[in-house]
């Protein structure tokens, strides 16, 4: 016999995985309200935030991501939530807040893949803010320190683009 709460969670995860975020939110909230100490509570809150982000409900996404960061400071999802919040700040061109959040996230020693993504996001924002030297240094950090992550290739391409646009042009980019 199936536990109705387990079924609701199973349904919520399936809906989330299929991009049916409106329905996933409803199911996750049902589980969260039924079991206040659910062992996956942090992840479920993150998924509610991510569902809201996908639905373009930015303020609700920020609310849930912030809750994950505040209530679960030792969780992996705390770092994922911070990175998602940073992406929202970047899209809104809130550069100062973005840099503050990324610096705080990096200071907390996130896992390698999240650190690489955070540095890459900061480099991208620096480049958009026409701070090309700082952006190049950040991309170079991803290239040198995070070569085993997926961000390595993206950072190498971005760094090559910056080098090609600067003095020495293509020759500097080819050196990479």
């Amino acid at each position: 016999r199936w536990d109705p709460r387990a079924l609701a969670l199973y349904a919520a995860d399936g809906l989330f995985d299929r991009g049916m975020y409106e329905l996933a939110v409803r199911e996750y909230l049902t589980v969260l309200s039924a079991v206040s100490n659910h062992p996956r509570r942090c992840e479920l809150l993150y998924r509610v935030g991510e569902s809201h982000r996908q639905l373009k409900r930015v303020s609700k996404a920020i609310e849930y991501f912030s809750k994950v960061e505040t209530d679960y400071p030792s969780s992996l999802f705390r770092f994922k939530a911070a990175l998602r919040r940073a992406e929202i700040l970047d899209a809104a061109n809130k550069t100062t807040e973005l840099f503050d959040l990324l610096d705080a996230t990096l200071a907390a020693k996130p896992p390698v893949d999240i650190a690489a993504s955070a540095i890459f996001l900061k480099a991208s924002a620096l480049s958009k803010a026409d701070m090309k030297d700082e952006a190049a240094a950040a991309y170079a950090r991803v290239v040198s320190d995070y070569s085993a992550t997926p961000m390595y290739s993206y950072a190498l391409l971005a760094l090559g683009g910056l080098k090609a646009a600067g003095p020495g042009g293509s020759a500097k980019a080819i050196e990479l």
Side-chain angles (χ1 to χ4, degrees):
R1 189 170 151 108
W2 286 89
D3 176 0
R5 291 178 297 210
L7 283 175
L9 181 55
Y10 183 74
D13 285 342
L15 293 165
F16 181 88
D17 291 344
R18 288 168 183 75
M20 301 172 78
Y21 300 112
E22 186 73 47
L23 296 171
V25 166
R26 191 174 337 147
E27 294 300 321
Y28 283 132
L29 292 176
T30 297
V31 172
L32 288 165
S33 67
V35 185
S36 63
N37 62 345
H38 194 285
R40 288 180 53 201
R41 186 171 185 78
C42 176
E43 178 187 358
L44 303 185
L45 290 168
Y46 172 82
R47 285 179 169 234
V48 171
E50 180 60 15
S51 295
H52 283 300
R53 188 182 76 84
Q54 292 291 336
L55 292 166
K56 310 256 187 282
R57 297 178 188 150
V58 174
S59 62
K60 290 299 276 184
I62 289 171
E63 174 187 335
Y64 280 93
F65 291 146
S66 296
K67 183 167 184 54
V68 170
E69 289 176 79
T70 302
D71 294 354
Y72 301 92
S74 62
S75 169
L76 169 66
F77 287 98
R78 170 249 196 257
F79 294 113
K80 290 182 174 190
L83 194 57
R84 286 297 193 211
R85 214 162 48 86
E87 290 169 348
I88 291 168
L89 291 170
D90 184 46
N93 294 314
K94 295 184 176 182
T95 308
T96 302
E97 292 174 58
L98 169 65
F99 292 161
D100 290 345
L101 176 58
L102 291 173
D103 290 343
T105 301
L106 289 165
K109 306 284 189 232
V112 171
D113 59 329
I114 293 176
S117 295
I119 296 166
F120 183 90
L121 182 57
K122 185 171 183 176
S124 177
L126 287 164
S127 185
K128 284 191 277 186
D130 206 32
M131 301 171 74
K132 304 298 184 193
D133 291 339
E134 293 88 343
Y139 286 132
R141 181 174 171 205
V142 174
V143 169
S144 67
D145 297 351
Y146 299 96
S147 61
T149 69
M151 298 313 298
Y152 170 80
S153 298
Y154 298 113
L156 197 56
L157 288 169
L159 184 57
L162 284 177
K163 298 270 187 193
S170 300
K172 288 287 186 186
I174 291 171
E175 288 175 11
L176 293 174

